[in-house]
Amino acid sequence: MRWIAVLLLFVPGIAHSNDWDSFSEPGAIAIMRHALAPGTGDPANFEIGDCATQRNLDERGREQARAIGAALQERGINFDAVLSSQWCRTLETAELLNVGRVSEAPPLNSFFGDYSTRDSQTTQTRNLIAETSGRLMLVTHQVNISALTGQTTRSGEVLIIRSTANGVEVLGSIMIQP
């Protein structure tokens, strides 16, 4: 048994599970880091609404988003609201999931380039979650997810969370490799 624990320390992917049952928990919400978009951050000339100025999904990222959406649909998991950051890579991820109507939500925009908005955006995201009824999917960025949950995510990873009096609780995670 000790050798399994040691192996898990060196091969983190083995320890990662797909916690589909977490969606059946009361108050379960999905929050996803956009699918694979090679690189880090955005170019200096970044503009919301102009995908030519942004880091975008590549074909592997598009396939990853479609595969995650298909896996959700196969399990009958759909959403009453799919809210996305206004970045092209998050909007494209949300659309390719094909699990509900996508709406832009500025609180989900990345603050990677300006951490001064971290606390206010995290509070706005908590408020957004509290004010939205039905099953909810959020598509956002690593920094936003980490600020909200205290947990890091990989590209395309979905955390299943629920609101608590003190913030959010992570119930599980889903990861489908690109």
Side-chain angles (χ1 to χ4, degrees), residues 68-102:
I68 294 164
L72 289 163
Q73 291 171 26
E74 286 170 12
R75 289 163 176 81
I77 301 168
N78 286 298
F79 298 89
D80 299 305
V82 178
L83 305 179
S84 174
S85 149
Q86 295 174 302
W87 270 233
C88 294
R89 61 185 172 269
T90 57
L91 286 167
E92 185 175 16
T93 297
E95 291 291 343
L96 290 171
L97 291 171
N98 196 30
V99 292
R101 191 175 71 79
V102 177

Side-chain angles (χ1 to χ4, degrees), residues 45-65:
N45 64 341
F46 168 86
E47 290 182 37
I48 288 179
D50 184 353
C51 296
T53 67
Q54 301 179 34
R55 182 168 59 95
N56 294 295
L57 300 182
D58 65 2
E59 194 52 43
R60 286 179 52 213
R62 289 182 193 94
E63 282 303 315
Q64 183 184 35

Side-chain angles (χ1 to χ4, degrees), residues 103-149:
S103 300
E104 294 181 11
L108 299 176
N109 289 350
S110 177
F111 51 79
F112 182 77
D114 180 7
Y115 274 79
S116 70
T117 64
R118 177 183 190 259
D119 292 341
S120 65
Q121 281 185 244
T122 302
T123 298
Q124 290 171 25
T125 299
R126 284 189 185 118
N127 293 341
L128 189 65
I129 290 168
E131 295 164 1
T132 305
S133 60
R135 182 168 277 186
L136 178 61
M137 161 71 88
L138 307 172
V139 182
T140 187
H141 308 266
Q142 161 53 40
V143 291
N144 302 69
I145 294 169
S146 182
L148 183 67
T149 68

